[in-house]
C-alpha cells in the first residue's frame, strides 16, 4: 500500500533548464511534506519541506508546491545543475513519528 | 562532528544466520528509525523508537528485531525468519513528537545473502 507515489522513475534535463519532480499521496492525514536527495551508497539528505498550511516554499533554486485538493506536490529546480543529478525522494508525515516515502525519481542533469 | 554512523557498510548473511546492523548517533536525538530500501520501492519503515527502552513496529517488522538500551544506539537484527533480507538498510534519527522536523540519515548498510 504505497501512500506516497512518485510515478516517474527517471527524469533527464539539460543544464540550466527547469527540473520538475512530481509526487502524489493518498492519505489525507498527511500534513507535512519533505523532499530528500540521495546519492548512490549514501543516506538521503534533507532538501526542502512544506507544511499543509502553505502552498509554496522556496529555498534558493528549489521550490516545492503543494496542491492539497489534488493531493499532489512538486519540486522545481531552477536552474538545474549537473551536481543536482541524484535520486529524489518525496516523503510525508501524518503527524507523530511516522514518515512515508515514495519510490524516488532519478534526476540526470546533462551538461 | 555530529551525525549518524552505520556499520558495516557491506554485510553478507549466510542461510539461517542472524546478523546485526549497527546504528549510532551523537545528535542527542530521542527518536531513531530503521528503513529498508529495495529497488523501485522507496524506503519502508521497519521499526522506530521514540525513547530509550521503547520501540514500535513499522510496516515490515516481520523477521527483524531491535533494541534501544542507550539513547545513542539502535541496532537492528535481521533474523533467519526474514526470507528476503537483501536490501539497503538506512538508519535515521530525529526529535520525538514533533512532526515538523526532518530526519537525519546514516550512510546505509548493504546486506546481501550468500
Amino acid at each position: 500500500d504505497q501512500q506516497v507515489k512518485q510515478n516517474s522513475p527517471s527524469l533527464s534535463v539539460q543544464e540550466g533548464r527547469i527540473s520538475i519532480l512530481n509526487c502524489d499521496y493518498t492519505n489525507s492525514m498527511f500534513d507535512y511534506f519533505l523532499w530528500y536527495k540521495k546519492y548512490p551508497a549514501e543516506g538521503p539528505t534533507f532538501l526542502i519541506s512544506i507544511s499543509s498550511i502553505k502552498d509554496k516554499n522556496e529555498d534558493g533554486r528549489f521550490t516545492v508546491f503543494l496542491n492539497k485538493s489534488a493531493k499532489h506536490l512538486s519540486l522545481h529546480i531552477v536552474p538545474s545543475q549537473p551536481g543536482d543529478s541524484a535520486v529524489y525522494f518525496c516523503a510525508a508525515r501524518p503527524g507523530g513519528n511516522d514518515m512515508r516515502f515514495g519510490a524516488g525519481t532519478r534526476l540526470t542533469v546533462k551538461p | 562532528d555530529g551525525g549518524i554512523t552505520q556499520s558495516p557498510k557491506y554485510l553478507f548473511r549466510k542461510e539461517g544466520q542472524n546478523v546485526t546492523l549497527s546504528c549510532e548517533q551523537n545528535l542527542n536525538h530521542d527518536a531513531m528509525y530503521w528503513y529498508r530500501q529495495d529497488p523501485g520501492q522507496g524506503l519502508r519503515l521497519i521499526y522506530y523508537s521514540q525513547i530509550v527502552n521503547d520501540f514500535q513496529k513499522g510496516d515490515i517488522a516481520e523477521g527483524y528485531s531491535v533494541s534501544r538500551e542507550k539513547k545513542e544506539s539502535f541496532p537492528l537484527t535481521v533474523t533467519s525468519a526474514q526470507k528476503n533480507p537483501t536490501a539497503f538498510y538506512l538508519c535515521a534519527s530525529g526529535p520525538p513528537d514533533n512532526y515538523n522536523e526532518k530526519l537525519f540519515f546514516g550512510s546505509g548498510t548493504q546486506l546481501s545473502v550468500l
Side-chain angles (χ1 to χ4, degrees):
Chain A
D1 177 23
Q2 262 194 308
Q3 298 184 48
V4 180
K5 299 180 183 179
Q6 293 176 257
N7 292 321
S8 298
S10 63
L11 175 68
S12 182
V13 300
Q14 208 65 35
E15 181 179 6
R17 305 295 291 269
I18 184 172
S19 295
I20 301 177
L21 294 91
N22 293 303
C23 178
D24 297 293
Y25 61 95
T26 58
N27 189 341
S28 58
M29 297 299 291
F30 288 147
D31 58 3
Y32 188 62
F33 305 89
L34 309 91
W35 284 94
Y36 282 84
K37 178 179 178 180
K38 184 180 181 301
Y39 294 113
E42 293 184 10
T45 54
F46 171 76
L47 193 58
I48 193 169
S49 63
I50 188 168
S51 166
S52 59
I53 62 173
K54 294 184 175 182
D55 56 17
K56 177 182 174 181
N57 189 27
E58 194 170 352
D59 184 3
R61 296 185 297 114
F62 303 91
T63 303
V64 56
F65 295 93
L66 176 63
N67 183 334
K68 283 187 66 179
S69 60
K71 295 191 177 67
H72 177 84
L73 65 155
S74 61
L75 174 68
H76 292 210
I77 307 173
V78 182
S80 302
Q81 299 173 353
D84 295 330
S85 297
V87 176
Y88 289 79
F89 288 99
C90 172
R93 301 188 92 154
N97 289 291
D98 191 5
M99 187 176 290
R100 304 299 176 118
F101 287 82
T105 296
R106 181 178 303 278
L107 173 66
T108 302
V109 180
K110 298 180 179 178
Chain B
D1 190 17
I4 301 177
T5 302
Q6 288 187 243
S7 62
K9 196 164 181 68
Y10 300 96
L11 186 60
F12 297 92
R13 193 191 90 165
K14 295 180 180 178
E15 200 74 35
Q17 185 183 39
N18 291 355
V19 292
T20 297
L21 286 62
S22 170
C23 178
E24 305 276 333
Q25 55 98 0
N26 59 6
L27 298 169
N28 200 33
H29 285 160
D30 286 301
M32 297 186 73
Y33 308 78
W34 275 104
Y35 287 89
R36 167 178 171 147
Q37 183 188 10
D38 294 279
Q41 289 202 47
L43 308 181
R44 292 184 290 167
L45 183 64
I46 304 172
Y47 267 99
Y48 67 98
S49 167
Q50 297 186 42
I51 198 168
V52 173
N53 292 322
D54 183 55
F55 47 82
Q56 287 78 41
K57 292 181 179 180
D59 296 328
I60 54 166
E62 186 174 350
Y64 300 96
S65 66
V66 293
S67 62
R68 188 80 188 279
E69 297 176 1
K70 298 188 299 182
K71 186 177 183 178
E72 302 79 20
S73 179
F74 191 39
L76 173 74
T77 296
V78 184
T79 74
S80 57
Q82 173 49 247
K83 298 306 179 189
N84 185 21
T86 297
F88 189 59
Y89 290 85
L90 285 161
C91 179
S93 71
D97 295 328
N98 184 350
Y99 60 84
N100 280 340
E101 288 288 339
K102 58 184 180 285
L103 298 185
F104 294 81
F105 284 86
S107 57
T109 294
Q110 176 64 51
L111 175 62
S112 303
V113 177
L114 289 175

